């Protein structure tokens, strides 16, 4: 059996990597972006349109799916892939982050997190056993361990406690996934390194998790309100201490330039609600920065959003897409989401091509320069 | 050049007909249902999904498109087909009905209708010249004349005035479409017979319009609040006086059994927002009546909505579709709309097949009996 991750090449100028990740539902070329499918659907697009734009892997949210419709129901209907009609890989988070951001009256204890559902106030609990059990019910190709994500900014003592607790939970999650046969079945479990802004805690977390030999690692606790330089600094303080032969993932990030900067720091996988969320408000991405289709200047614009980006939405004019957006039509959400996700996925394909060609360093700087010049010009 | 409408066969038991209607953008087999695309989109579905379910012709709303984004803009972008990415036939209404139902402060005069936009209160006017000009801008395959649709119930004198005025407007519309080259270009114009519940006025309207030799005829002023028997009676009082060699259309109707009953009265074309509108609220059609996916009993139902109805939505379980509906996901609207429209289009395909086989009379009665038994059992 081949290794589940092949590091195909490494950039000589940056820390960027080109890799290939095998899962039970297919092979993923990295670096890659994962569209977010919170409640068993990438909002507003059919699996068919998603496949057309080359979505290699998508993300599902354990917290949401466990509340509604419930992970046992999804298990009984054949797992999350069958339930939502997806034949490619799915990664699920542990649900912990949503407990911290959405749930009411949460109580973090050494054995897990007690909280109230944001939907109906039901009292619930997520510990290592629960999050692994739910993700096994979902039959995730990549399950994430439970972790404690400290806020930003965070006192050093509280951060150290979160790192230690996250390490214990990670160990327990791996043991549970081993005992249950989840790992032997070919599903992967990724660990999450915390440590907030403290470089030594970041290193401690990364090294501690690396010693547990997970199939992959996430840099956690970023994108929680800190400025971009701080976010990049935290990633740079973590990746050198993660095993080079395992995939790396930053959760919940980011803008197109941020993705390229994180690739340059050695990150392989990304997910973010940004392209799907802003699409539902009329904002679309271009190589010259985002543009707001509500702007009057697109009223009669016959061009597609981006020339040469071949996807279903490219068959429609900016004028038509603007009309749908102004009229509040659902089809606007669908078409703009297809565009934005394809823009992100195409950017990752370009990154992979430039890694293969050996010029990622210069290419990504010039790509970012054009994008940021476009943003400034608006 | 062949005639634009071929009456292929007529049922021997009922007045049902099997026909073929040629338009600039394609041939339509009748009887047929037209999905409603009010604002330049059939709500929540892409043209690709619409094509997959065999939508031969769709309807656009002149009133809405003229207010937003404006018919000149659509003309400048190549017409409604190019604007909305539809390569098949489109029928547009005249906008008159929406003026009566949506607009504020309307004032019906002999030369047309003055009204205020329901969007921004702008003062506007629609007369025969305006509605034909707008529909020419849209490049409708089938344009409808301006008519005055009396309310239900309606005093005889008011109805007679509406019939006379509608006849004058129809004549003017046809003259305008002739002078402008719209008809010579291969676009069709359909007249609308009013008359409310007065059989003699219905006949007068039908015969008056028939004498003007339109490419097709609609029975107007139905589905404005009257009970179903009254609605069917008005249609039965009109169709015998329309030319048998021209297509007939009832506007804004109806339920699946109503469609079959109207086919039996000799109607060929239908449009209705019912299948698209109720889909957005979780209601789906089956041969045993509609079912509400919000019902708890579908929580774990692994079956498709209707066994054997092969469309994209059939790949998903009732349990999944219910989950999407309960979670308020946009994809629910998309998938349920695909199902409901396909159900309507498939019903029309079945009707055509039974007309071809010569057993429409018995088939449509048994189909309606099963549907209504299902409704009663709920």
């Amino acid at each position: 059996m081949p290794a589940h991750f092949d590091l195909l090449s490494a950039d000589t100028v940056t820390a960027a990597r080109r890799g290939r990740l095998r899962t039970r539902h297919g092979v993923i070329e990295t670096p890659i972006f994962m569209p977010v499918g919170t409640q068993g659907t990438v909002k507003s697009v059919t699996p068919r349109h998603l496949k057309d734009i080359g979505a290699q892997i998508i993300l599902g949210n354990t917290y949401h799916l466990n509340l509604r419709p419930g992970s046992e129901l999804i298990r009984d209907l054949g797992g999350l892939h069958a339930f939502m009609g997806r034949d490619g890989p799915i990664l699920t988070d542990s649900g912990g982050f949503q407990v911290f951001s959405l749930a009411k009256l949460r109580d973090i204890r050494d054995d897990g997190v007690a909280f109230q559902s944001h939907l109906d106030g039901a009292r619930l609990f997520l510990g290592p056993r629960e999050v692994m059990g739910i993700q096994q019910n979902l039959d995730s190709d990549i399950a994430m361990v439970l972790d404690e994500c400290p806020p930003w900014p965070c006192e050093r003592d509280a951060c150290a406690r979160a790192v230690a607790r996250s390490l214990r939970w990670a160990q327990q999650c791996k043991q549970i996934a081993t005992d249950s046969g989840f790992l032997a079945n070919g599903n992967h479990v990724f660990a999450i390194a915390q440590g907030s802004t403290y470089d030594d805690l970041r290193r401690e977390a990364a090294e501690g998790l690396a010693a547990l030999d997970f199939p992959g690692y996430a840099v956690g606790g970023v994108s929680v309100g800190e400025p971009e330089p701080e976010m990049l600094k935290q990633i740079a303080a973590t990746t050198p201490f993660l095993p080079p032969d395992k995939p790396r993932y930053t959760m919940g990030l980011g803008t197109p330039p941020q993705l390229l900067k994180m690739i340059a720091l050695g990150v392989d996988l990304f997910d973010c609600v940004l392209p799907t969320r802003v699409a539902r408000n009329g904002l679309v991405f271009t190589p010259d920065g985002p543009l707001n289709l509500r702007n009057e200047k697109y009223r009669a614009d016959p061009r597609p959003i981006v020339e040469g980006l071949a996807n279903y939405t490219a068959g429609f004019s900016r004028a038509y897409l603007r009309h749908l957006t102004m009229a509040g039509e659902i089809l606007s959400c669908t078409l703009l989401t297809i565009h934005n996700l394809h823009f992100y996925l195409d950017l990752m394909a370009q990154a992979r091509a430039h890694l293969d060609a050996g010029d990622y360093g210069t290419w990504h700087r010039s790509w970012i320069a054009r994008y940021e010049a476009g943003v400034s010009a608006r």
Side-chain angles (χ1 to χ4, degrees), chain A:
Chain A
M1 194 171 128
H4 74 282
F5 184 69
D6 288 329
L7 188 60
L8 301 177
S9 65
D11 190 36
T12 51
V13 179
T14 71
R17 304 128 52 89
R18 175 78 177 82
R20 185 169 294 149
L21 172 60
R22 288 181 190 77
T23 75
R24 285 184 58 220
H25 288 89
V27 174
I28 298 151
E29 303 290 332
T30 66
I32 189 62
F33 175 79
M34 302 184 278
V36 177
T38 302
Q39 304 194 101
T41 159
V42 175
K43 283 189 193 302
S44 85
V45 290
T46 59
R48 178 186 293 177
H49 280 299
L50 208 54
K51 191 169 188 172
D52 285 351
I53 54 172
Q56 298 186 56
I57 174 168
I58 66 168
L59 180 141
N61 281 120
T62 287
Y63 172 87
H64 291 281
L65 292 169
N66 188 50
L67 291 187
R68 186 174 58 190
S71 74
E72 293 86 358
L73 177 68
I74 293 175
R75 177 198 61 206
D76 295 347
L77 289 163
L80 185 55
H81 299 77
F83 185 62
M84 68 186 289
R86 162 128 186 112
D87 57 9
I90 300 176
L91 177 148
T92 52
D93 61 11
S94 72
F97 188 80
Q98 274 74 31
V99 170
F100 295 118
S101 59
L102 287 178
K104 291 176 278 191
L105 292 176
R106 52 181 195 278
D107 178 23
I108 307 171
R109 312 185 314 224
D110 273 346
D111 59 341
V113 196
F115 62 99
Q116 282 192 292
S117 159
H118 77 290
L119 292 178
D120 62 4
R123 290 178 185 279
L124 300 162
F125 177 81
L126 284 182
R129 189 157 302 279
E130 287 74 19
V131 303
M132 294 315 294
I134 295 166
Q135 291 179 96
Q136 186 158 18
N137 285 343
L138 300 176
D139 194 20
S140 313
D141 294 292
I142 303 173
M144 301 302 298
V145 301
L146 183 65
D147 66 329
E148 180 182 345
C149 178
W152 180 88
C154 178
E155 294 293 326
R156 184 184 168 84
D157 281 359
C159 181
R161 281 194 302 274
V163 165
R165 184 178 273 152
S166 295
L167 190 60
R168 279 197 307 276
W169 285 351
Q171 192 163 20
Q172 291 166 24
C173 285
K174 191 172 181 221
Q175 191 60 52
I176 292 162
T178 304
D179 296 346
S180 69
F182 186 76
L183 283 166
N185 189 44
N187 305 68
H188 305 315
V189 177
F190 281 16
I192 306 171
Q194 293 291 346
S196 189
T197 54
Y198 305 98
D199 287 3
D200 58 329
L201 294 179
R202 285 269 169 203
R203 177 174 182 165
E204 183 186 316
E207 289 180 340
L209 293 169
L212 294 172
D213 192 26
F214 276 89
Y217 296 87
V219 181
V222 286
S223 186
V224 290
E226 78 282 12
E228 181 183 305
E230 187 57 62
M231 179 272 284
L232 295 171
K233 187 172 157 293
Q234 292 180 52
I235 294 170
T238 309
T239 46
F241 307 104
L242 294 174
D245 60 342
K246 298 291 171 62
R248 300 158 179 175
Y249 164 32
T250 49
M251 305 180 78
L253 283 163
T255 65
Q258 285 174 344
L259 260 57
L260 298 188
K261 291 174 192 173
M262 291 188 284
I263 289 172
L265 293 175
V267 182
D268 310 301
L269 294 115
F270 309 93
D271 82 274
C272 192
V273 296
L274 187 67
T276 38
R277 182 170 290 165
V278 301
R280 299 196 298 279
N281 203 25
L283 204 80
V284 289
F285 291 96
T286 85
D288 298 299
L291 58 85
N292 190 336
L293 284 175
R294 293 178 177 273
N295 195 310
E296 169 72 17
K297 71 178 166 185
Y298 305 119
R299 203 186 69 88
D301 191 335
R303 294 174 296 170
I305 301 169
V306 173
E307 301 279 357
L309 191 63
N311 58 53
Y312 186 69
T313 305
F316 301 92
S317 64
R318 293 178 179 184
Y320 178 65
L321 298 171
R322 177 178 190 273
H323 161 66
L324 292 181
T325 302
M326 299 304 285
E329 284 287 349
I330 288 173
L331 188 61
S332 166
C333 303
T334 303
L335 294 177
L336 302 192
T337 298
I338 289 171
H339 168 83
N340 278 356
L341 286 178
H342 187 228
F343 184 85
Y344 266 63
L345 293 167
D346 178 72
L347 182 60
M348 294 297 99
Q350 288 183 59
R352 291 194 299 272
H354 285 282
L355 281 165
D356 289 339
D359 65 349
Y360 181 79
T362 49
W363 170 78
H364 97 288
R365 277 191 301 277
S366 69
W367 196 98
I368 293 171
R370 175 179 169 187
Y371 188 93
E372 292 182 344
V375 172
S376 304
R378 291 215 173 86

